[in-house]
Amino acid sequence: MSQKLVRVIKIPRGEAPKQVRRQWVGAILDATGPAHPLWESGLLTHEDMPERTGYSVPSGAALQVLGERSPAAADWFKENIRRMPPYLTFGADEVEEIHNEV
């Protein structure tokens, strides 16, 4: 699976409080491969969410980036999510691919 850099441009959907999700905006993350169909469930309720197209991002690396931007936001995930999934997901409308930026 190829790697791709994406920048979060919009508050992502999810079950975390809005003030926590807002901290993702501007973050640059390593996504796995191109945009693809996502079958998601809530991190807190585990309820299925509507299918959408987007990107998968390794959770550990994503939370490290978030922690550099907002330690409190990263702590929210660590304190409230019992079993962190291996990947966090972001919708195609929530991120932009970064091409050849240095």
Side-chain angles (χ1 to χ4, degrees), residues 24 29-30 32 43 56-67 74 77-78 81 83-90:
W24 287 110
L29 305 168
D30 281 318
T32 56
L43 289 174
S56 297
V57 177
S59 296
L63 290 175
Q64 182 175 347
V65 170
L66 183 62
F77 282 92
K78 293 172 188 170
I81 308 304
R83 283 187 288 166
M84 185 63 64
Y87 294 94
L88 296 177
T89 54
F90 294 85

Side-chain angles (χ1 to χ4, degrees), residues 5 7 28 98-102:
L5 286 178
R7 178 184 294 118
I28 295 174
I98 299 175
H99 300 283
N100 299 322
E101 286 188 19
V102 178

Side-chain angles (χ1 to χ4, degrees), residues 29-87:
L29 305 168
D30 281 318
T32 56
H36 57 277
L38 300 173
W39 293 273
E40 304 164 295
S41 61
L43 289 174
L44 294 172
T45 64
H46 306 288
E47 291 181 11
D48 290 339
M49 299 175 86
E51 183 181 334
R52 64 181 176 162
T53 299
Y55 297 84
S56 297
V57 177
S59 296
L63 290 175
Q64 182 175 347
V65 170
L66 183 62
E68 292 168 3
R69 300 173 56 77
S70 172
D75 286 346
W76 184 92
F77 282 92
K78 293 172 188 170
E79 293 166 4
N80 291 281
I81 308 304
R82 287 189 185 151
R83 283 187 288 166
M84 185 63 64
Y87 294 94

